[in-house]
């Protein structure tokens, strides 16, 4: 088995995302950029659709789609760097998601590395999920195809 630490956390997170359409949710002004990067890493490395949003907006309009949308196997991920600030709003979002059958995941910087720790965890999780799916993260045929089409126009 793997030892405790970032690698095992990434593997566990990848396992939670297997077979789902992830929505990485960051806290505005704190981890929104981290959530965006994580969704992009999942798109490019794992070759799956993944999206990102940020609190507080997630708790306004986007959350409205979950009571019916949860049946499409969406797995929200909350990146939370600090215990204060948006904790109350994230707890409220989590409660609403759980009430409609979703199983949100709260991811914190457990090693004290802040946003950089969360970025590394997201990057590692995207590679672990690619490995689980038997996907090579390095080729980017869809992006190459886009560039080819754009070059012709």
């Amino acid at each position: 088995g793997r030892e405790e630490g970032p690698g095992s956390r990434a593997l566990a997170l990848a396992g939670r995302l297997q077979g789902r359409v992830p929505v990485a949710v960051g806290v505005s002004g704190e981890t929104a950029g981290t959530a965006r990067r994580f969704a992009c890493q999942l798109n490019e490395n794992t070759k799956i659709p993944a999206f990102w949003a940020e609190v507080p907006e997630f708790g306004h309009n986007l959350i409205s789609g979950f009571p019916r949308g949860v049946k499409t196997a969406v797995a929200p991920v909350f990146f939370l760097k600090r215990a204060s600030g948006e904790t109350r709003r994230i707890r409220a979002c989590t409660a609403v998601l759980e009430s409609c059958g979703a199983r949100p995941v709260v991811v914190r910087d457990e090693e004290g590395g802040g946003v950089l720790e969360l970025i590394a965890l997201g990057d590692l999780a995207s590679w672990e999920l690619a490995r689980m799916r038997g996907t090579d993260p390095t080729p980017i045929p869809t992006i190459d195809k886009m560039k080819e089409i754009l070059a012709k126009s």
Side-chain angles (χ1 to χ4, degrees):
R2 295 183 184 224
E3 57 189 59
E4 290 295 316
S8 63
R9 287 183 69 205
L11 185 61
L13 180 55
R16 296 281 306 264
L17 301 176
Q18 178 78 309
R20 302 195 177 275
V21 177
V23 180
V25 182
V27 178
S28 180
E30 185 178 285
T31 54
T34 306
R36 180 176 188 251
R37 178 182 172 93
F38 184 47
C40 289
Q41 292 295 86
L42 288 168
N43 295 150
E44 188 170 328
N45 295 336
T46 311
K47 316 297 190 265
I48 62 169
F51 304 92
W52 72 280
E54 65 183 282
V55 169
E57 181 58 30
F58 179 83
H60 266 302
N61 296 317
L62 187 56
I63 204 165
S64 297
F66 277 81
R68 288 183 180 215
V70 75
K71 293 182 179 28
T72 61
V74 174
V77 176
F78 287 92
F79 286 115
L80 177 62
K81 178 179 169 280
R82 57 185 180 160
S84 63
E86 292 293 341
T87 302
R88 189 172 138 252
R89 190 176 302 272
I90 287 175
R91 280 193 205 135
C93 288
T94 301
V96 169
L97 291 169
E98 287 172 344
S99 74
C100 61
R103 294 178 20 189
V105 180
V106 179
V107 180
R108 292 183 177 87
D109 65 329
E110 294 179 1
E111 307 296 321
V115 170
L116 291 178
E117 179 184 330
L118 294 174
I119 289 170
L121 180 61
D123 287 1
L124 285 171
S126 75
W127 280 76
E128 288 289 359
L129 185 54
R131 186 186 57 76
M132 287 176 184
R133 294 172 41 84
T135 302
D136 182 349
T138 52
I140 48 172
T142 308
I143 295 172
D144 291 340
K145 180 79 170 170
M146 285 290 298
K147 289 178 182 178
E148 181 184 316
I149 292 168
L150 289 171
K152 291 178 183 176
S153 56

